[in-house]
Amino acid sequence: MPSKVENWKDELYGNEIRDQLFEFAREGWDAIPEDEHDAWFERFKWWGLYHQRKGQESYFMMRIGTPNGVLEPGQLEVVGEIAKKYATGPVDNPEFGDAYCDWTTRQSIQLHWIKLEDVPEIFETLEANGLSTQQACGDSWRNIVGCPVAGKDTHEHIDAWPIAEDLHETFKGNDDYANLPRKWKVSVTGCDEGCGQGDINDLAFEPAEKDGELGFNVRVGGGLSRKEPRFARDIDVWVPPEQAADVAHGMSALFREYGDREDRFNARIKFLVDEWGTEKIRGVLQEEFVDFELPAAGDDMREEYTYNAGDGQHGDHVGVHEQPDGNYYVGLDVLVGRMGADDALELAGLADDYGSGEVRLTQRQNVIVTDVDADRLDAFLDEPLLEAYSPDPHPFMRGSIACTGTEFCSLSIVETKNRQVRYARWLKDNVPVPDGVEDFHIHLSGCTASCAQPQIADISLRGMKTRKDGEPVEALDVGLGGGLGENPHFADWIEMRVPADEVPGYIENLLAAFETEREDGESFREFVAARDEGQLQALADPEETDYEDPYMHNTKTTWYPYATEDDMDASPAPTNGAGEPIPSDD
Amino acid sequence: MPIGVYQLDDGAWISVNDSREVNVSELWLLARHDFCDCDTADFLAEGFVEVGVDHPDIQTRVAGRCIQCDTEGVTGWLTVGRVVGPGSGEFYGVDHASVHVPDARTRLAKPT
């Protein structure tokens, strides 16, 4: 029997949602019948709108999909202005103020506290400037990711940006692929660093050579969610760039036809690959969904991958890098991916002044200013904004990633972004960086959905609860030794349910043990891989330190964790288009 | 009247009669259970796997973990609330901080 969500999608889904969304926006929040909230909230996702969690009724998160993370000249300014005008909630965030943009791990943009009534005006502004929220969430083709400097990279073998653009144009708003069994995440990469993170996507195109021609090998069925992480699997197919879209058509049609629509927990294609195996996936793709002979896989470049490969090299695009045309791109570290709207606007101005105006987003929640003229590079690097968003950050700042967390998200178990900011600052001030370590990933995800990609970090943190002195407190499971590269590896979960205020002390103790016990030149990932679970558990214990965590209480039960009066009853939501509380009928 | 019960947001919520009523990420104390070896499991609910109605009880099987012993798995059927009031179908949730018994109707208390 199809799931409840499938029934809602059968009734109405895809492009058609927009008319009713705009009608609700015109009439106001109250116009959505209460007994249809869940159905409409599920549908609104297709247009990039996620209803925020309990206590924040009538407010939405809005996701803008920027293929390959490319913000063309002028677009960052538009996003910053929208954030400043519309993304302001009833209470400021103590770390980030009253309006901010989140750069996500899939090279998209998230804004919060969006009111339904403002949606048509925001869409009009976005679309007038070549931006859209279409299919940024929901069961369809999501934002296409890839090497964030495609077309401007000395490591590049194929410029994948035109291919990503083509896929974006082809599959956004395409009714044939608008209603898939579940989300469909695609990565296209033409460089030899592995920064497209194809291994954790549903469909990955990775650079490969066959008979002297450059094209892509195809992998299928990667993903991290629900304690069921999978790396994408090689289906022994090579495709030339001009036929990448045909294979993408075929694979997403295969998913549409054979994906599980009865059980959403089993719907992602990773489970179909588990069930069928790669040979059958390839066979059905060939037989039913493409009309040309699929070549066998070519020679890939995976052994050259440096991105998050555990060998100490960065590969994350932060810093100053020369482009093939003699200009430079400058990658800036954005701690936990959140940037104030004023800062985003200032950055847009700098990108205009010093570069082409283009800005790109990475899968490490950072930003890149491209096309900086060599003669003006030093002046750009002297800009005061770069003190906050450094091209040469401390390793603990550089490596920190966090998801949205209980600030807004229904799924999360713990507070994340502000906590990770505090962790990074404390670690920077208190913990010596092990010798030779420049790249160190600490990813904090609030739940098993894994939006912060915790399983591919050196230190993986995942939301949990425990009791401390008998009281429930926010806690984290800690995993070690994950990463990508030629031979990707998911972190092994070593310390479970560590009270959140003891995590910095644990990391301090762990890195001290690493420094003491490592062999010469041994990387952290190698160090972890060389030890079994018992040995890793014996390395270090959690410990309270002078780190203070203001979010130990159950932040999920507050209407907003940072409000002075944070009880659910103190929430002003739902509010009308002016942000004024709507009186309850009770 | 019929009661509409289903999971939402990847099992993060139970919706009862089109209203989100029960959320994951709470700790539940479980007694007379076979989830793990603890006398009283201190169970973190991470995802609702199945939902059902045993009128007037709203029941669910939950994926999660006992934070005392780290056993992971799925519970038996737990009552998370009940729908009462003829015609109104109003939902009253149980107090998750009290002690709960999975499969309570088939699991009798034993004298200790």
Side-chain angles (χ1 to χ4, degrees):
Chain A
M1 192 172 71
S3 67
K4 188 85 177 174
V5 172
E6 284 298 324
N7 290 334
W8 291 331
K9 288 160 61 183
D10 279 347
E11 286 172 23
L12 184 80
Y13 206 57
N15 290 301
E16 294 173 354
I17 298 165
R18 183 178 171 117
D19 288 344
Q20 188 61 57
L21 171 63
F22 277 33
E23 184 63 25
F24 287 139
R26 192 180 60 75
E27 294 180 29
W29 164 256
D30 272 349
I32 309 174
E34 276 199 31
D35 62 354
E36 295 178 19
H37 275 187
D38 289 332
W40 285 112
F41 296 162
E42 194 62 43
R43 293 179 182 127
F44 290 170
K45 291 176 187 174
W46 200 91
W47 278 101
L49 293 164
Y50 249 86
H51 188 237
Q52 290 180 190
R53 70 168 172 85
K54 187 175 181 181
Q56 300 168 6
E57 290 79 6
S58 78
Y59 289 100
F60 290 82
M61 177 275 279
M62 174 180 282
R63 188 180 294 157
I64 303 162
T66 42
N68 213 68
V70 176
L71 281 159
E72 291 170 355
Q75 290 183 334
L76 179 60
E77 185 180 355
V78 171
V79 170
E81 284 172 352
I82 288 173
K84 202 166 167 60
K85 185 171 178 184
Y86 301 102
T88 302
V91 173
D92 288 2
N93 179 304
E95 300 289 347
F96 300 100
D98 62 353
Y100 35 84
C101 312
D102 285 350
W103 320 126
T104 79
T105 51
R106 294 200 79 256
Q107 294 172 292
S108 296
I109 301 162
Q110 292 183 176
L111 308 177
H112 293 93
W113 296 121
I114 299 296
K115 293 190 278 293
L116 182 66
E117 292 82 353
D118 293 331
V119 166
E121 205 169 284
I122 297 173
F123 277 15
E124 189 181 334
T125 307
L126 287 172
E127 289 163 7
N129 289 280
L131 292 162
S132 173
T133 64
Q134 189 181 41
Q135 290 171 238
C137 316
D139 293 346
S140 59
W141 273 73
R142 298 291 192 85
N143 193 43
I144 294 158
V145 300
C147 169
V149 288
K152 307 196 173 187
D153 187 10
T154 54
H155 294 273
E156 190 163 78
H157 298 264
I158 305 167
D159 178 2
W161 170 227
I163 297 154
E165 263 189 309
D166 179 41
L167 294 178
H168 177 80
E169 294 298 328
T170 304
F171 292 102
K172 288 288 166 168
N174 185 328
D175 288 337
D176 289 342
Y177 303 89
N179 179 358
L180 300 177
R182 203 69 177 78
K183 62 182 80 168
W184 181 250
K185 295 178 172 178
V186 177
S187 168
V188 190
T189 321
C191 82
D192 58 25
E193 292 192 294
C195 54
Q197 299 198 146
D199 278 321
I200 57 169
N201 278 264
D202 294 298
L203 172 64
F205 293 95
E206 299 192 321
E209 188 175 327
K210 190 172 178 72
D211 302 328
E213 190 182 349
L214 283 164
F216 301 98
N217 280 352
V218 179
R219 287 177 181 245
V220 181
L224 300 177
S225 62
R226 299 197 66 81
K227 293 187 180 173
E228 296 273 7
R230 301 282 189 283
F231 290 119
R233 281 145 280 183
D234 180 358
I235 62 164
D236 191 25
V237 168
W238 178 88
V239 62
E242 63 274 15
Q243 285 183 312
D246 296 323
V247 170
H249 268 286
M251 273 312 309
S252 53
L254 183 154
F255 178 52
R256 181 189 63 211
E257 298 303 317
Y258 291 105
D260 188 345
R261 290 185 188 263
E262 297 189 356
D263 179 0
R264 288 181 69 76
F265 297 142
N266 193 48
R268 293 287 293 276
I269 199 169
K270 64 185 176 184
F271 298 115
L272 191 63
V273 179
D274 288 355
E275 185 185 332
W276 281 10
T278 52
E279 271 186 46
K280 182 172 176 181
I281 292 280
R282 188 188 200 284
V284 173
L285 175 67
Q286 176 72 79
E287 285 293 312
E288 300 180 27
F289 297 103
V290 293
D291 56 7
F292 58 92
E293 192 70 25
L294 292 168
D299 296 325
D300 65 38
M301 300 172 189
R302 291 176 66 90
E303 66 181 25
E304 296 173 51
Y305 284 8
T306 55
Y307 174 87
N308 191 8
D311 58 4
Q313 294 187 57
H314 291 307
D316 63 1
H317 308 100
V318 170
V320 178
H321 304 264
E322 189 171 6
Q323 298 176 186
D325 63 3
N327 289 327
Y328 287 81
Y329 73 80
V330 182
L332 305 177
D333 179 55
V334 184
L335 186 56
V336 303
R338 182 165 286 179
M339 180 178 277
D342 287 330
D343 289 349
L345 287 167
E346 187 177 342
L347 182 68
L350 295 179
D352 268 340
D353 287 349
Y354 291 96
S356 60
E358 182 190 74
V359 171
R360 296 192 176 193
L361 310 177
T362 81
Q363 293 187 63
R364 296 199 51 74
Q365 301 182 324
N366 294 323
V367 295
I368 298 169
V369 175
T370 60
D371 307 319
V372 177
D373 188 285
D375 293 341
R376 305 198 64 211
L377 181 62
D378 287 342
F380 175 58
L381 295 173
D382 285 340
E383 286 288 342
L385 188 71
L386 274 60
E387 288 171 20
Y389 305 100
S390 173
D392 185 23
H394 187 282
F396 293 139
M397 310 295 269
R398 182 175 196 148
S400 291
I401 284 182
C403 70
T404 298
T406 53
E407 182 179 8
F408 300 114
C409 179
S410 282
L411 278 65
S412 186
I413 297 170
V414 299
E415 203 283 339
T416 54
K417 279 206 191 281
N418 288 22
R419 175 171 281 141
Q420 181 78 334
V421 166
R422 298 173 71 89
Y423 280 178
R425 289 178 185 153
W426 190 89
L427 292 170
K428 178 185 169 193
D429 292 342
N430 292 279
V431 178
V433 177
D435 188 41
V437 171
E438 295 181 1
D439 192 36
F440 197 76
H441 297 229
I442 304 176
H443 298 189
L444 170 53
S445 219
C447 73
T448 59
S450 303
C451 298
Q453 304 171 348
Q455 298 96 328
I456 56 166
D458 294 296
I459 294 184
S460 317
L461 304 175
R462 188 168 65 196
M464 245 287 141
K465 287 271 176 60
T466 193
R467 291 187 195 271
K468 191 164 178 173
D469 305 323
E471 292 299 314
V473 294
E474 297 200 353
L476 299 169
D477 286 345
V478 184
L480 303 177
L484 295 174
E486 181 185 7
N487 298 304
H489 182 74
F490 293 129
D492 298 311
W493 296 98
I494 300 300
E495 284 288 334
M496 311 309 273
R497 54 190 160 74
V498 179
D501 60 346
E502 298 178 25
V503 168
Y506 172 74
I507 295 174
E508 180 179 31
N509 295 340
L510 176 72
L511 291 185
F514 166 59
E515 190 69 300
T516 304
E517 297 185 26
R518 70 195 288 203
E519 292 179 8
D520 277 351
E522 191 176 35
S523 73
F524 184 77
R525 188 156 150 195
E526 291 164 341
F527 178 81
V528 172
R531 284 160 177 77
D532 64 26
E533 186 178 332
Q535 290 172 310
L536 291 169
Q537 284 169 344
L539 282 174
D541 291 320
E543 185 180 353
E544 284 185 4
T545 60
D546 63 355
Y547 167 81
E548 289 182 8
D549 195 311
Y551 312 118
M552 291 298 285
H553 61 304
N554 190 350
T555 55
K556 194 74 168 281
T557 60
T558 66
W559 77 270
Y560 189 60
Y562 325 119
T564 309
E565 295 291 328
D566 66 0
D567 289 351
M568 282 288 176
D569 292 345
S571 170
T575 65
N576 61 21
E580 298 157 344
I582 299 172
S584 164
D585 291 338
D586 299 338
Chain B
M1 66 180 281
I3 301 170
V5 182
Y6 45 86
Q7 311 136 285
L8 286 171
D9 293 350
D10 291 343
W13 281 97
I14 297 175
S15 173
V16 182
N17 290 336
D18 297 303
S19 173
R20 288 169 186 237
E21 299 290 359
V22 190
N23 194 200
V24 290
S25 81
E26 300 293 353
L27 289 169
W28 296 67
L29 294 170
L30 306 182
R32 305 207 307 271
H33 63 93
D34 49 17
F35 181 78
C36 62
D37 292 334
C38 298
D39 283 345
T40 303
D42 205 351
F43 178 80
L44 176 70
E46 294 186 283
F48 299 112
V49 175
E50 277 188 275
V51 291
V53 180
D54 185 1
H55 198 81
D57 293 348
I58 306 301
Q59 300 192 321
T60 182
R61 296 178 67 233
V62 197
R65 182 195 309 178
C66 172
I67 65 165
Q68 299 300 328
C69 68
D70 275 340
T71 297
E72 285 188 274
V74 178
T75 65
W77 288 96
L78 279 167
T79 297
V80 292
R82 58 184 52 185
V83 173
V84 292
S88 67
E90 197 164 344
F91 176 81
Y92 291 87
V94 299
D95 177 3
H96 65 80
S98 62
V99 178
H100 302 269
V101 180
D103 303 315
R105 294 192 175 196
T106 58
R107 202 176 291 266
L108 300 175
K110 292 176 187 163
T112 54

